[in-house]
C-alpha cells in the first residue's frame, strides 16, 4: 500500500508537470460560433474539427439516421466547390479528412501541415451553409449508407443484438435508435428531409470549431473571423427533452440469430455528468467501471476470465459524457459448458460484491494511477485532445470539465463506489439481452474453382 | 515549365518539413541485438518495443503457434501470475502490449519516465520477456479462449474471405495460413510447443529493440542491455523461403447467409526491400490508397454507390506481400461490383496515371508527410519497421524525395510488369 501511494504521488507530479489548466484559448464570434484553440508545438501539424450539436438523439421517429445521412451528403459539393472538390483540395494539401456522427454530435475534421489551416476553415465555412442536395446524389448515397449498415450491423450477430437491446432498454429516449438509422427510415429519406435537417442545425451558433496543434490562438481566431463571421446565425429551436420514463422492473429479451457463440448484454439505467444532481456520482460510476474493466488487473478479467474461468471475455462500460441519461453496460461471452444465464449470475455477483464490500484501497489506487498516466499519454495525440474538447462542449458539459477530470476522479472514495452501486445498479433498472446462436445454415462449402480469368 | 513550378513548390515543402527530420540512433547491445532509439522530449513518457522474427510465418505446420506463444507472456512469468503482472503495470499506469504479424512478434511497454515508475515497468517487462512460465493451467485457459475466437471467426464472411484469399495467393508458403491458426492445429497444442517456439525464436540474435521517448541515450543503452540480458544469444532462424509466383488466375465463392458479399481480389505484390517499392506505393495511392479521392473509391462508391468501402493496397512483407483490392456489396450486385473493380484496375494498368493524378498524389504524400510521424505512437511504428526490415536509417527523411522522383511512365511500366490482371485471385464470400 505504501508503494502504491508513492506511485500515485509520482504519477501526480508527472501529470502536473505537463498540465496547466489555461492552455485552451476560447472565443465566440458575434454570430455565436464558439472557437477553442489548444496550442501543441510537438509537431508542425494542426487538426481542425467542426462539431455540430446534432446527432441521432435529436431525430424524431421516421427519419432516424438522418444526421448520419447528412454527414455523407456534406461531401457532395456546394455551388463554389462541386462534388469531390472538398476532398480533392484537402488531399492536394497533404491533408487527411473525414467525419463522424454519434448520438449527440456530428463532426468533420481535417489534419494538415500547420501552414494549411486556412484551407480547411475556408472549406468548412462554405459547407456550413451552401451544400447542394441533389436527388440523384442522394439516391446513390442511400445505397452507400445501406451498405454501411449491412457491414456494421446486419451481418454481425453481436452488433445486431446490441441494436435490439437498446431498442428494448429505452422506452422513449432517442437513445433507443441506432445512429445509422432503421432500415425503413434510411430507405425513405427525401431531399426535402435532408434540406430541412441541414437548415435547422447547421449554423454558426450551433457549432464549435476546435483547433489543436502548432499554431497561435490569435491566428486561428483571425482566420475563423475571416471565413465564419459573415455567416448569419439561425434561430435554433432547442431539441425536445424526450426524457426517458422511469423503468419499473427488469426487462429481458432473447435475440436468435445465426452465430457461433452465445453472448450476454446487460445495462442498468444510470445518470450521466450532464444530468446527475451530484456530480461525484458520475465520477464514482466511472471509477466503478474501471474497477470492473480498467485493464487486465480489473475484476472481470481477473475473476471471471482467469479466476473462475467462466467467461471467454467480459466487459463493462460507462459513458459519462452522454448528453442524456444512459446505461451502465456489461457484456460477456461464456466459455464452453457455461451459458448466458451463468454469465448473468456471475456479473450480478460482481455487482453484489460492489454493493456489499468496500473496494480495496490498492485496487482503487490502481484505477487512479491509470487515469493519471493516461492523462499524460493522451497528450501524444492532437486528435484525441481535440475530440475531448469538442465532445464535452457539444454535449453541453463544457470543455472546461476536461481540466478537472483527473482531480474529480482522485476525489472518488471506496464509499462513493459502494453508494452508486447500491443506488443505480439495481435489478429494477436492469435490461438484459441474450444472443441465442442459431445454425449458420449455408455452411461454408468447398470452393467453386476455376482457372484463368473471367471476362468482365 | 509547369513541372518546374511544381518542383519549386516541393522545395518549399521540404524546407518546411526539414526540421521534422527523425534522428534515429542505432547500435548493438553486447549480445548483438540491434537497438534503434529516438529521443523525443516534450512529454515525460517513453515507448519501448522489442521485436522478433517470430511471426506466424514461423509457425511451421502448427498454425497459430506464434500467436499463442505471444499471447501467453503476461499470463505468468518469474514468480508472478497473471494478476500480479497486470497489477504491477496498472499500479504505475504503464501499458503493456504484445502481438504478432506474419513476419514479426513483439512486446511493448508505454510508461512514464519518472524513475520509480520507469524502473518498475522495465523490471516487469524484463521478467516477462526472459522468464515466461507457460504453465499448464494458464495454457489451457488461453487455449479455450483461442478456440472460441476461432469458432467466432466463422460468423464473419469477411474473415472467411480473407483466409481463402491468403491461401490462394500463398498456397503452401508460410504466409498462407491465418496467424491465429485454425481449430484443427490449435486443438493439438500443448505448453511444451510454446516453450520450444519461445526457446528457438525469442533469442537475442533474433531480436531488436526500439526506444522512443524522453530518456537520454545513456539510459536507453542501459535499458536495452538490461532488457535483453536474460535471453540466450543463440542464432537467427533460417531465412523464409521466397514466395513462388502465381501461375494463373483463380475465382472462388464461399456461400454464407449474409446480406452482403465480401470481395477480395488481388495478387502477389512487393517486399519491403523491393526496388519498385516507391513506384508501386505512389501508383497504388492513386488507384486505391488515398481514401476519398482514389480511383477505386470514386468508381465503386462515388459514381455507383456499390459499397461503403472500396480500396486497394500493397501489404509489403519481408518476402513478397500481397496486393489486395476489397469491397463489400449487396449480394445481388456482386458481379457488377467485381467487374467495376477489375475494370478500374485494368484501366489503370493499361493507361497509367495522368500527370494531373500524379501531381495530386505527390502533393498529398509529401505535403502531409509530417502527419505520419506526429505522435510517439506513429514514430515508434515507423522506427520499428525501419529496424525490422533493415531499411536505411534516413528512410523517413528521404521518402518524400523518392516519391517526387517517380514518373507517370515509371508507374505505368512497373504496374504492367508487376500487376497482371489475368493473375487476379478473386474471393467472394456471401449469399446468392
Amino acid at each position: 500500500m505504501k508503494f502504491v501511494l508513492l506511485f500515485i504521488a509520482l504519477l501526480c507530479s508527472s501529470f502536473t508537470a505537463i498540465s496547466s489548466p489555461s492552455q485552451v484559448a476560447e472565443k465566440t464570434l458575434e454570430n455565436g460560433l464558439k472557437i477553442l484553440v489548444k496550442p501543441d508545438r510537438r509537431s508542425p501539424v494542426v487538426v481542425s474539427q467542426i462539431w455540430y450539436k446534432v446527432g441521432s438523439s435529436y431525430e424524431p421517429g421516421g427519419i432516424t439516421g438522418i444526421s448520419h445521412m447528412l454527414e455523407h451528403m456534406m461531401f457532395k459539393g456546394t455551388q463554389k466547390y462541386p462534388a469531390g472538390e472538398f476532398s480533392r483540395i484537402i488531399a492536394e494539401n497533404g491533408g487527411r479528412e473525414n467525419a463522424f456522427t454519434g448520438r449527440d454530435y456530428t463532426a468533420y475534421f481535417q489534419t494538415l501541415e500547420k501552414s494549411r489551416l486556412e484551407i480547411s476553415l475556408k472549406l468548412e465555412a462554405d459547407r456550413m451553409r451552401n451544400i447542394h442536395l441533389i436527388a440523384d446524389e442522394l439516391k446513390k448515397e442511400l445505397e452507400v449508407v445501406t451498405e454501411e449498415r449491412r457491414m456494421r450491423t446486419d451481418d454481425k450477430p453481436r452488433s445486431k443484438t446490441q441494436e435490439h437491446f437498446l431498442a428494448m432498454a429505452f422506452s422513449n429516449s432517442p437513445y433507443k435508435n441506432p445512429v445509422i438509422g432503421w432500415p425503413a427510415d434510411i430507405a425513405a429519406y427525401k431531399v426535402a428531409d435532408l434540406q430541412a435537417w441541414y437548415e435547422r442545425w447547421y449554423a454558426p451558433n450551433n457549432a464549435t470549431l476546435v483547433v489543436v496543434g502548432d499554431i497561435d490562438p490569435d491566428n486561428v481566431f483571425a482566420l475563423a473571423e475571416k471565413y465564419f463571421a459573415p455567416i448569419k446565425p439561425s434561430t435554433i429551436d432547442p431539441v425536445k427533452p424526450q426524457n426517458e420514463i422511469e423503468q419499473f422492473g427488469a426487462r429481458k429479451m432473447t435475440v436468435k440469430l445465426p452465430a457461433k457463440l452465445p453472448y450476454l448484454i446487460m445495462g442498468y439505467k444510470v445518470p450521466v455528468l450532464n444530468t446527475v444532481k451530484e456530480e461525484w456520482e458520475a465520477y464514482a460510476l466511472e471509477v466503478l467501471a474501471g474497477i470492473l474493466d480498467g485493464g487486465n488487473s480489473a475484476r472481470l478479467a481477473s475473476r471471471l476470465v482467469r479466476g473462475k474461468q467462466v467467461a471467454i471475455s467480459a466487459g463493462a462500460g460507462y459513458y459519462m459524457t452522454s448528453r442524456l441519461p444512459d446505461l451502465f453496460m456489461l457484456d460477456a461471452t461464456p466459455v464452453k459448458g457455461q451459458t448466458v444465464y451463468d454469465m448473468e449470475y456471475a456479473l450480478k455477483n460482481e455487482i453484489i460484491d460492489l454493493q456489499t464490500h468496500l473496494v480495496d484501497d490498492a485496487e482503487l489506487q490502481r484505477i487512479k494511477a491509470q487515469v493519471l498516466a493516461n492523462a499524460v499519454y493522451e497528450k501524444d495525440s492532437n486528435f484525441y485532445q481535440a475530440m475531448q474538447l469538442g465532445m464535452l462542449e457539444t454535449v453541453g458539459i463544457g470543455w472546461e470539465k476536461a481540466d478537472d477530470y483527473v482531480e474529480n476522479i482522485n476525489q472518488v472514495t471506496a464509499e462513493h463506489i459502494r453508494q452508486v452501486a447500491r443506488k443505480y445498479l439495481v435489478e429494477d433498472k436492469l435490461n438484459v439481452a441474450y444472443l441465442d446462436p442459431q445454425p449458420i445454415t449455408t455452411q461454408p462449402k468447398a470452393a467453386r474453382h476455376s482457372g484463368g480469368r473471367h471476362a468482365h | 515549365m509547369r513541372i518546374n513550378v511544381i518542383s519549386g513548390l516541393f522545395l518549399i515543402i521540404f524546407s518546411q518539413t526539414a526540421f521534422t527530420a527523425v534522428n534515429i540512433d542505432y547500435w548493438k547491445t553486447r549480445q548483438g541485438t540491434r537497438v534503434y532509439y529516438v529521443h523525443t522530449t516534450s512529454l515525460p513518457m517513453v515507448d519501448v518495443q522489442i521485436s522478433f522474427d517470430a511471426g506466424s510465418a514461423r509457425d511451421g505446420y502448427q498454425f497459430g503457434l506464434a500467436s499463442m506463444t505471444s499471447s501467453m507472456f503476461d499470463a505468468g512469468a518469474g514468480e508472478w501470475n497473471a494478476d500480479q503482472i497486470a497489477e504491477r503495470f496498472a499500479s504505475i499506469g504503464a501499458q503493456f502490449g504484445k502481438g504478432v504479424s506474419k513476419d514479426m512478434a513483439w512486446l511493448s511497454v508505454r510508461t512514464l519516465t519518472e524513475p520509480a515508475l520507469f524502473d518498475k515497468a522495465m523490471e516487469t517487462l524484463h521478467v516477462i520477456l526472459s522468464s515466461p512460465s507457460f504453465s499448464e493451467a494458464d495454457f489451457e485457459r488461453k487455449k479455450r479462449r483461442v478456440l472460441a475466437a476461432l469458432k467466432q471467426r466463422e460468423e464473419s464472411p469477411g474473415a472467411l474471405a480473407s483466409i481463402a484469399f491468403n491461401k490462394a495467393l500463398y498456397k503452401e508458403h508460410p504466409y498462407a495460413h491465418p496467424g491465429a491458426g485454425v481449430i484443427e492445429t490449435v486443438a493439438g497444442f500443448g505448453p511444451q510447443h510454446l516453450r520450444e517456439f519461445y526457446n528457438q525464436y525469442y533469442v537475442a540474435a533474433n531480436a531488436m529493440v526500439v526506444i522512443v521517448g524522453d530518456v537520454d541515450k545513456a539510459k536507453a543503452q542501459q535499458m536495452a542491455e538490461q532488457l535483453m540480458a536474460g535471453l540466450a544469444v543463440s542464432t537467427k532462424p533460417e531465412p523464409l523461403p521466397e514466395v513462388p509466383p502465381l501461375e494463373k488466375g483463380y475465382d472462388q465463392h464461399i456461400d454464407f447467409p449474409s446480406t452482403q458479399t465480401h470481395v477480395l481480389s488481388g495478387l502477389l505484390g512487393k517486399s519491403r526491400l523491393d526496388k519498385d517499392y516507391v513506384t508501386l506505393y505512389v501508383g497504388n495511392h492513386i488507384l486505391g490508397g488515398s481514401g476519398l479521392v482514389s480511383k477505386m473509391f470514386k468508381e465503386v462508391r462515388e459514381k455507383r454507390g456499390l459499397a461503403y468501402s472500396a480500396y486497394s493496397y500493397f501489404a509489403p512483407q519481408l518476402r513478397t506481400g500481397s496486393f489486395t483490392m476489397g469491397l463489400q456489396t449487396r449480394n445481388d450486385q456482386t458481379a457488377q461490383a467485381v467487374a467495376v473493380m477489375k475494370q478500374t484496375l485494368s484501366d489503370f494498368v493499361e493507361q497509367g496515371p495522368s500527370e494531373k493524378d500524379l501531381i495530386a498524389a505527390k502533393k498529398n504524400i509529401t505535403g502531409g508527410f509530417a502527419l505520419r510521424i506526429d505522435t510517439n505512437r506513429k514514430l515508434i511504428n515507423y522506427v520499428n519497421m525501419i529496424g525490422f526490415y533493415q531499411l536505411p536509417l534516413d528512410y523517413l527523411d528521404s521518402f518524400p524525395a523518392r516519391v517526387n522522383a517517380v514518373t507517370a511512365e515509371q508507374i505505368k511500366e512497373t504496374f504492367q510488369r508487376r500487376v497482371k490482371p489475368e493473375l487476379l485471385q478473386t474471393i467472394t464470400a456471401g449469399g446468392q
Side-chain angles (χ1 to χ4, degrees):
Chain A
M1 193 50 229
K2 204 175 80 200
F3 285 111
V4 176
L5 286 176
L6 169 69
F7 291 142
I8 288 290
L10 294 170
L11 282 155
C12 280
S13 72
S14 295
F15 170 71
T16 316
I18 55 117
S19 70
S20 53
S22 54
Q23 282 170 324
V24 179
E26 177 181 358
K27 183 177 178 172
T28 305
L29 299 184
E30 268 179 38
N31 62 14
L33 178 71
K34 187 172 251 190
I35 306 156
L36 304 175
V37 186
K38 189 170 187 182
D40 184 321
R41 312 280 181 197
R42 300 173 68 229
S43 283
V45 303
V46 64
V47 56
S48 168
Q49 301 176 342
I50 188 147
W51 291 70
Y52 292 96
K53 289 174 189 157
V54 63
S56 62
S57 72
Y58 289 62
E59 296 161 355
I63 56 166
T64 63
I66 199 161
S67 304
H68 173 255
M69 187 72 227
L70 182 57
E71 177 226 294
H72 276 243
M73 296 306 290
M74 284 283 280
F75 291 84
K76 295 297 181 183
T78 64
Q79 196 88 47
K80 220 176 194 168
Y81 302 99
E85 272 300 280
F86 191 113
S87 299
R88 189 192 66 74
I89 293 169
I90 294 296
E92 184 168 72
N93 281 281
R96 315 278 161 83
E97 55 144 357
N98 217 322
F100 49 90
T101 306
R103 296 181 302 181
D104 305 318
Y105 48 78
T106 309
Y108 301 81
F109 66 86
Q110 297 83 35
T111 312
L112 292 148
E113 190 275 326
K114 64 174 178 174
S115 69
R116 326 276 175 104
L117 175 66
E118 181 166 4
I119 293 153
S120 143
L121 301 191
K122 188 176 171 176
L123 291 168
E124 284 296 4
D126 177 51
R127 74 173 169 183
M128 181 181 277
R129 273 297 158 80
N130 301 319
I131 60 163
H132 239 166
L133 290 162
I134 303 165
D136 282 352
E137 288 288 351
L138 176 62
K139 199 171 155 223
K140 268 188 296 183
E141 207 58 24
L142 274 178
E143 295 298 326
V144 171
V145 169
T146 308
E147 295 295 352
E148 183 179 0
R149 203 194 128 82
R150 289 188 184 107
M151 193 178 81
R152 290 190 194 280
T153 311
D154 295 335
D155 286 342
K156 289 189 175 161
R158 288 178 180 220
S159 306
K160 214 165 173 173
T161 304
Q162 283 156 9
E163 189 177 87
H164 285 250
F165 168 80
L166 291 174
M168 172 194 73
F170 291 108
S171 299
N172 62 315
S173 165
Y175 282 180
K176 72 193 278 103
N177 300 319
V179 171
I180 199 164
W182 296 110
D185 294 352
I186 296 175
Y189 300 143
K190 297 284 175 282
V191 167
D193 300 324
L194 286 148
Q195 189 70 44
W197 202 246
Y198 180 56
E199 284 169 15
R200 181 165 172 199
W201 301 111
Y202 281 60
N205 48 327
N206 196 44
T208 307
L209 173 67
V210 185
V211 177
V212 178
D214 188 2
I215 197 140
D216 288 320
D218 286 342
N219 194 345
V220 179
F221 294 151
L223 288 171
E225 186 81 41
K226 181 172 169 191
Y227 292 107
F228 287 96
I231 303 173
K232 296 218 162 34
S234 297
T235 308
I236 305 284
D237 289 329
V239 66
K240 301 287 184 194
Q242 292 193 274
N243 290 329
E244 172 72 4
I245 53 166
E246 196 179 347
Q247 180 176 336
F248 301 100
R251 299 174 184 175
K252 301 193 177 189
M253 77 191 306
T254 301
V255 182
K256 292 161 98 169
L257 286 170
K260 286 287 181 179
L261 298 182
Y263 175 60
L264 169 81
I265 312 178
M266 292 175 30
Y268 295 93
K269 296 265 172 69
V270 287
V272 293
L273 198 51
N274 219 11
T275 63
V276 75
K277 285 201 188 70
E278 303 277 351
E279 274 195 2
W280 66 263
E281 289 189 347
Y283 292 97
L285 284 166
E286 175 96 336
V287 175
L288 192 156
I291 295 288
L292 291 175
D293 192 21
N296 206 26
S297 77
R299 290 187 179 185
L300 298 184
S302 76
R303 296 182 179 182
L304 302 192
V305 176
R306 293 196 296 269
K308 293 179 192 155
Q309 304 194 22
V310 291
I312 294 293
S313 64
Y318 171 60
Y319 315 102
M320 71 186 298
T321 56
S322 301
R323 186 173 68 88
L324 301 172
D326 208 342
L327 294 164
F328 186 99
M329 301 280 289
L330 296 141
D331 70 348
T333 306
V335 298
K336 205 172 170 181
Q338 295 276 317
T339 67
V340 283
Y341 310 108
D342 297 323
M343 291 301 95
E344 183 180 351
Y345 180 77
L347 288 171
K348 282 182 179 171
N349 263 341
E350 293 304 324
I351 302 296
I352 290 167
D353 189 334
L354 288 165
Q355 290 165 336
T356 318
H357 304 110
L358 288 174
V359 171
D360 180 54
D361 206 26
E363 199 179 4
L364 182 56
Q365 297 304 332
R366 277 205 302 276
I367 300 305
K368 295 181 178 178
Q370 292 177 72
V371 168
L372 277 163
N374 283 339
V376 178
Y377 304 150
E378 282 163 6
K379 302 263 189 295
D380 193 32
S381 163
N382 284 347
F383 193 84
Y384 186 87
Q385 296 182 71
M387 282 284 295
Q388 213 173 31
L389 296 173
M391 176 152 355
L392 288 171
E393 191 59 31
T394 303
V395 301
I397 295 170
W399 63 267
E400 299 89 344
K401 271 283 184 283
D403 284 340
D404 309 333
Y405 177 76
V406 167
E407 183 49 34
N408 283 321
I409 291 291
N410 261 334
Q411 299 294 330
V412 173
T413 65
E415 185 54 50
H416 286 149
I417 294 169
R418 186 164 67 179
Q419 280 181 42
V420 291
R422 286 175 175 174
K423 185 169 175 186
Y424 295 112
L425 306 187
V426 294
E427 184 71 14
D428 285 351
K429 312 290 177 195
L430 174 64
N431 299 273
V432 186
Y434 311 102
L435 169 59
D436 178 4
Q438 304 297 301
I440 297 178
T441 44
T442 315
Q443 284 298 334
K445 59 187 178 195
R448 289 200 309 259
H449 290 210
S450 68
R453 179 187 178 196
H454 286 185
H456 49 245
Chain B
M1 202 49 227
R2 184 158 172 243
I3 298 301
N4 283 340
V5 172
I6 295 299
S7 55
L9 202 77
F10 287 139
L11 285 177
I12 296 166
I13 293 162
F14 284 150
S15 60
Q16 277 175 345
T17 53
F19 65 97
T20 65
V22 178
N23 293 313
I24 304 174
D25 229 321
Y26 165 74
W27 66 85
K28 284 186 173 177
T29 65
R30 283 194 293 273
Q31 290 181 314
T33 300
R34 288 176 285 125
V35 184
Y36 298 83
Y37 159 68
V38 179
H39 192 191
T40 64
T41 53
S42 50
L43 293 173
M45 57 187 262
V46 61
D47 287 280
V48 187
Q49 182 165 338
I50 305 166
S51 300
F52 298 85
D53 177 345
S56 66
R58 298 296 180 185
D59 281 344
Y61 291 109
Q62 293 175 300
F63 302 162
L65 185 57
S67 170
M68 188 128 175
T69 304
S70 158
S71 77
M72 290 285 293
F73 276 103
D74 58 343
E79 303 286 302
W80 307 318
N81 64 22
D83 286 342
Q84 289 163 316
I85 291 169
E87 285 166 15
R88 286 181 70 85
F89 282 128
S91 67
I92 54 171
Q95 298 174 340
F96 172 73
K98 73 224 171 195
V100 295
S101 63
K102 280 183 171 29
D103 284 336
M104 198 188 308
W106 66 88
L107 291 86
S108 67
V109 164
R110 164 170 276 199
T111 175
L112 298 178
T113 48
E114 174 65 41
L117 309 174
F118 174 84
D119 290 348
K120 186 169 180 180
M122 288 306 119
E123 186 202 352
T124 312
L125 178 60
H126 172 246
V127 172
I128 284 175
L129 177 63
S130 52
S131 331
S133 313
F134 300 119
S135 80
E136 184 80 39
D138 292 332
F139 170 79
E140 287 303 329
R141 185 185 73 236
K142 213 48 138 191
K143 183 165 143 180
R144 279 197 294 274
R145 288 186 74 181
V146 172
L147 288 171
L150 294 178
K151 199 169 158 192
Q152 199 193 349
R153 191 169 68 184
E154 292 168 16
E155 291 175 359
S156 162
L160 297 176
S162 169
I163 291 169
F165 180 66
N166 274 285
K167 182 71 185 164
L169 248 54
Y170 291 107
K171 316 280 191 305
E172 303 305 318
H173 187 272
Y175 283 169
H177 65 273
V182 295
I183 288 172
E184 293 76 5
T185 55
V186 172
F189 292 171
Q192 74 280 9
H193 298 120
L194 277 61
R195 255 180 243 123
E196 284 161 17
F197 188 87
Y198 170 80
N199 288 335
Q200 185 176 354
Y201 293 106
Y202 285 81
V203 295
N206 193 35
M208 55 166 282
V209 179
V210 184
I211 300 162
V212 173
D214 192 12
V215 292
D216 63 25
K217 186 171 175 182
K219 185 104 182 168
Q221 280 171 324
Q222 187 196 10
M223 180 173 149
E225 290 292 343
Q226 283 172 354
L227 280 173
M228 303 314 290
L231 293 183
V233 177
S234 193
T235 52
K236 287 180 84 63
E238 289 294 309
L240 291 173
E242 293 291 345
V243 180
L246 293 168
E247 282 163 11
K248 55 183 181 181
Y250 174 76
D251 292 341
Q252 179 185 345
H253 179 75
I254 299 166
D255 274 335
F256 194 91
S258 51
T259 64
Q260 267 188 330
T261 297
H262 290 242
V263 180
L264 291 173
S265 180
L267 31 75
L268 293 173
K270 64 185 183 183
S271 81
R272 271 283 167 205
L273 301 161
D274 205 297
K275 64 179 174 40
D276 293 326
Y277 185 94
V278 176
T279 311
L280 290 169
Y281 174 81
V282 177
N284 182 68
H285 193 81
I286 299 163
L287 173 65
S290 47
L292 311 185
V293 296
S294 77
K295 287 187 184 298
M296 207 58 86
F297 188 87
K298 282 183 184 160
E299 294 298 327
V300 174
R301 175 167 156 172
E302 293 296 300
K303 287 191 188 161
R304 298 177 179 85
L306 289 169
Y308 175 67
S309 97
Y311 55 84
S312 68
Y313 65 95
F314 285 93
Q317 305 283 147
L318 197 55
R319 297 294 177 226
T320 314
S322 59
F323 166 72
T324 310
M325 301 183 288
L327 58 80
Q328 308 81 23
T329 192
R330 196 175 73 211
N331 290 326
D332 65 357
Q333 58 193 14
T334 305
Q336 186 198 355
V338 171
V340 170
M341 175 192 254
K342 288 184 171 179
Q343 187 67 48
T344 306
L345 175 70
S346 52
D347 286 351
F348 186 75
V349 171
E350 274 162 36
Q351 295 154 26
S354 69
E355 203 57 47
K356 197 175 144 212
D357 287 341
L358 180 60
I359 290 167
K362 287 180 176 180
K363 283 184 174 178
N364 180 244
I365 297 166
T366 60
F369 198 72
L371 307 183
R372 293 174 187 237
I373 48 172
D374 65 346
T375 67
N376 286 3
R377 182 78 78 198
K378 292 182 196 170
L379 193 53
I380 196 166
N381 285 335
Y382 269 109
V383 177
N384 187 65
M385 176 194 92
I386 288 167
F388 189 84
Y389 295 105
Q390 305 206 34
L391 303 169
L393 291 184
D394 70 348
Y395 177 85
L396 283 169
D397 293 333
S398 65
F399 194 75
R402 294 171 67 205
V403 167
N404 278 330
V406 173
T407 66
E409 193 47 46
Q410 279 170 347
I411 291 174
K412 184 175 159 184
E413 182 277 321
T414 309
F415 268 73
Q416 288 183 353
R417 185 161 41 80
R418 302 287 298 266
V419 181
K420 299 198 181 296
E422 67 272 19
L423 292 180
L424 283 174
Q425 314 287 302
T426 303
I427 312 295
T428 50
Q432 296 295 336

